[in-house]
Amino acid sequence: LVRRERDGAQVKTRPADKSAVVKDLEQKLTRSLGAPVRVVDRGGDKGGKIEIDYGDLDDLDRLLDRLLASAKN
C-alpha cells in the first residue's frame, strides 16, 4: 500500500456501508414498486441516484405505470 501510494497508484477502498435509513428506504421502495431498488449516495452535498431494476419491457411498462400514476395524483 505504501509503495502504491508513493508511486501515485490509486488504492481501492471499500465503499461505506449504507445507513439504516437508506436501507429502510430501499426496502420501502422495493416493496412499493415490486422491483429491486438501490439508493446510491455520492456523499456530502453531491446528491445521488435511485436505481430501479426491471426484467423485461413488460416489467418496465408496469413500473412506469406505477410511477406515472403517482405523478398524476
Side-chain angles (χ1 to χ4, degrees):
L1 290 174
V2 172
R3 186 178 313 121
R4 288 181 193 157
E5 186 66 28
R6 182 187 68 216
D7 294 342
Q10 291 184 353
V11 178
K12 293 183 181 179
T13 58
R14 194 176 132 216
D17 290 333
K18 293 180 182 177
S19 71
V21 172
V22 171
K23 288 179 183 179
D24 184 53
L25 177 61
E26 287 177 335
Q27 290 176 351
K28 286 179 181 177
L29 288 169
T30 295
R31 281 193 304 270
S32 174
L33 295 174
V37 176
R38 282 179 306 284
V39 176
V40 181
D41 184 18
R42 292 189 189 112
D45 292 334
K46 297 179 183 177
K49 61 183 174 179
I50 298 172
E51 297 177 351
I52 306 170
D53 289 337
Y54 62 92
D56 55 26
L57 292 178
D58 289 334
D59 199 21
L60 177 60
D61 283 339
R62 183 188 58 77
L63 285 167
L64 289 172
D65 285 343
R66 283 191 175 183
L67 291 168
L68 295 175
S70 295
K72 290 178 184 176
N73 293 333

